[in-house]
Amino acid sequence: MLNKKTVEDIDVKGKRVLVRCDFNVPLDENRNITDDTRIVGALPTIEYLIKNGAKVILCSHMGKPKGEPKPELSLAPVAKALSEKLGKAVVFAADDNVVGENAKKAVAEMADGDVVLLENTRYRVEETKNIDDFSKELASLADVFVNDAFGTAHRAHCSNVGVTQYLPVAACGYLIQKEIQFLGNAVNNPVRPLAAILGGSKVSSKISVINNLLEKVDTLIIGGGMAYTFMKAQGLSIGKSLLEEDFIGYASDMMKKAEEKGVKLLIPIDSVEASEYSNDAEIKICEGGIDDGFMGLDIGPKTIELFSNALKDAKTVVWNGPMGVFEMPNFAKGTNAIAKVLAELDATTVIGGGDSVAAVNKAGLADKMTHISTGGGASLEFLEGKDLPGIVAINDK
Ligand code: ADP
Ligand code: MG
């Protein structure tokens, strides 16, 4: 997965380059963009292409229009924002069928360095089903293809996978290149020791991640809600903490596997327990198991110390899933402490998972991490060791 063609490996001068971006930005009720991180993130690839004389045709999905035009999910606001950021006109091709008269005309009139943005690709019902008609139509606008949308890389859609069948070259942009480099190296070619920290609410959502990472890591740290299923498997009492009964056996198997592989697997030795799921609940620190009538909502101080020590010598750390209910201040200490440890480590630190990234941002430590993955679901599948169709479809060097 690591040896993919990038924009710099292909000839773009005078070429019509179709770029799949991730412009799935949040809008308020007046269709103002409330967070332009994704637009800013797409600029390096777009600016490179403009500078090198490409005709830049951008496409993306936004939200879930479910295969029909929905004006409130039009990419028109993105065209405006992009135009401001690039300091040049971005022609918006407002076709309900995405590749329609406006798009064809706009592309036909392009000079080198011009930028056209197509309408929301999910206006077309074919898009998420990867049906050829739409892939062919998209390809008919361009000479080469560039994928820079990591967030959808775990899906095979027309605009990131289907289209590559009908164009001679598919390369990745800088965003995907960075994801492959950091996520890929962290898991498949890490500087050791490699530690992974897993948390979040459910064991069941991260089964394949745990299983795959046990093949790769030197240390596996488990916190968050999923830790209680592991504690239960060890015979500890867990009160009314989050438990997935059906996965107790799985947790035991994973602990056995860790032992066989010589992986150090750590689970919490104390917790912040609460009488109910509320920031205003009565709270206590408890060692070992959880008291009857209480639930564990964060890792405790001794666990913070245990985990911090285990991370001290790590040279690569992958983190997915918060250590507690970080949305409530009383249960955010564990997550913040671990974020701080990672921020100060002399190691490659890679953060994936929507909530973990939010937690690191909230702690103001994002710029202290080596890499923050932009794709929640995609980064999870990467950690599961799966081949992502959107990345497979990019040509090798
Ligand atoms: P990510 O998005 O980083 O992959 P998840 O979606 O798996 O993470 O899990 C995040 C959620 O897990 C958060 O909403 C957090 O409140 C919840 N969580 C963490 N620890 C606990 C706990 N001990 N009990 C209940 N929920 C928890
Ligand atoms: Mg999440």
Side-chain angles (χ1 to χ4, degrees):
M1 287 254 258
L2 289 173
N3 215 15
K4 294 290 176 182
K5 274 203 166 84
T6 76
V7 275
E8 295 180 14
D9 299 317
I10 60 173
D11 182 18
V12 299
K13 173 102 191 77
K15 298 269 172 63
R16 297 171 301 163
V17 182
L18 178 67
V19 190
R20 178 40 159 115
C21 297
D22 180 2
F23 291 141
N24 186 24
V25 292
L27 301 175
D28 66 15
E29 57 277 13
N30 300 316
R31 291 168 68 210
N32 293 311
I33 298 168
T34 54
D35 179 348
D36 65 3
T37 310
R38 284 179 168 158
I39 295 179
V40 173
L43 295 177
T45 299
I46 299 170
E47 280 167 345
Y48 172 87
L49 291 169
I50 294 172
K51 205 177 89 205
N52 286 277
K55 300 182 171 81
V56 189
I57 307 162
L58 307 171
C59 69
S60 172
H61 80 284
M62 182 192 282
K64 293 184 174 162
K66 303 229 166 99
E68 52 183 326
K70 295 250 167 68
E72 66 276 18
L73 292 174
S74 167
L75 284 180
V78 172
K80 190 163 158 266
L82 254 180
S83 180
E84 282 161 16
K85 296 234 182 310
L86 291 169
K88 66 179 285 154
V90 171
V91 176
F92 181 58
D95 288 318
D96 280 351
N97 59 346
V98 188
V99 185
E101 290 317 309
N102 290 308
K104 288 176 194 162
K105 182 163 176 286
V107 170
E109 287 170 358
M110 286 177 100
D112 293 356
D114 279 356
V115 183
V116 167
L117 173 64
L118 305 182
E119 185 52 285
N120 188 342
T121 51
R122 289 193 190 165
Y123 276 14
R124 290 287 293 262
V125 71
E126 299 98 321
E127 164 73 335
T128 56
K129 299 183 178 133
N130 197 16
I131 294 172
D132 280 341
D133 314 19
F134 183 44
S135 303
K136 282 185 198 160
E137 287 175 42
L138 282 169
S140 73
L141 295 174
D143 303 306
V144 294
F145 177 69
V146 169
N147 188 1
D148 211 16
F150 184 69
T152 48
H154 58 314
R155 306 275 180 244
H157 293 169
C158 295
S159 64
N160 67 335
V161 173
V163 68
T164 63
Q165 284 180 273
Y166 302 102
L167 286 171
V169 186
C172 63
Y174 292 115
L175 276 179
I176 286 202
Q177 185 190 5
K178 223 169 121 206
E179 296 280 1
I180 298 175
Q181 185 189 337
F182 287 110
L183 271 176
N185 273 332
V187 180
N188 298 315
N189 192 22
V191 180
R192 290 185 183 274
L194 165 64
I197 310 166
L198 292 178
S201 45
K202 287 180 171 171
V203 181
S204 55
S205 66
K206 291 182 185 170
I207 289 181
S208 315
V209 179
I210 300 171
N211 199 20
N212 183 47
L213 287 179
L214 277 176
E215 306 282 340
K216 322 234 176 200
V217 299
D218 302 296
T219 303
L220 181 62
I221 290 174
I222 295 195
M226 68 161 73
Y228 298 100
T229 301
F230 281 82
M231 284 167 66
K232 182 86 181 173
Q234 286 195 328
L236 290 163
S237 54
I238 59 160
K240 41 180 195 175
S241 305
L242 208 60
L243 169 68
E244 289 176 286
E245 292 249 31
D246 294 350
F247 291 92
I248 297 171
Y250 176 81
S252 299
D253 292 347
M254 289 302 107
M255 292 191 280
K256 237 179 270 150
K257 180 169 173 177
E259 210 177 304
E260 283 162 18
K261 298 246 164 218
V263 172
K264 189 179 192 190
L265 186 142
L266 298 175
I267 63 172
I269 50 172
D270 63 349
S271 295
V272 179
E273 61 173 23
S275 53
E276 55 184 313
Y277 186 80
S278 155
N279 195 51
D280 306 320
E282 177 196 346
I283 59 174
K284 295 196 279 187
I285 306 291
C286 58
E287 290 188 20
I290 305 292
D291 293 313
D292 274 354
F294 282 78
M295 58 182 84
L297 294 182
D298 195 8
I299 54 174
K302 290 197 169 149
T303 305
I304 292 176
E305 205 185 316
L306 174 75
F307 289 0
S308 305
N309 279 330
L311 291 167
K312 228 176 37 218
D313 301 319
K315 283 290 159 219
T316 308
V317 184
V318 175
W319 184 13
N320 177 290
M323 295 291 96
V325 184
F326 73 98
E327 297 93 336
M328 301 184 197
N330 282 341
F331 313 112
K333 283 201 188 79
T335 302
N336 288 338
I338 296 302
K340 199 149 166 278
V341 169
L342 261 58
E344 286 165 5
L345 276 184
D346 178 22
T348 300
T349 48
V350 177
I351 322 294
D355 291 292
S356 326
V357 171
V360 169
N361 280 330
K362 209 168 153 185
L365 295 171
D367 60 345
K368 296 275 188 338
M369 306 300 174
T370 312
H371 179 65
I372 305 250
S373 178
T374 51
S379 70
L380 205 61
E381 292 202 15
F382 214 115
L383 298 182
E384 288 174 359
K386 286 189 187 153
D387 283 335
L388 310 189
I391 290 176
V392 172
I394 296 165
N395 298 141
D396 290 333
K397 276 204 192 191

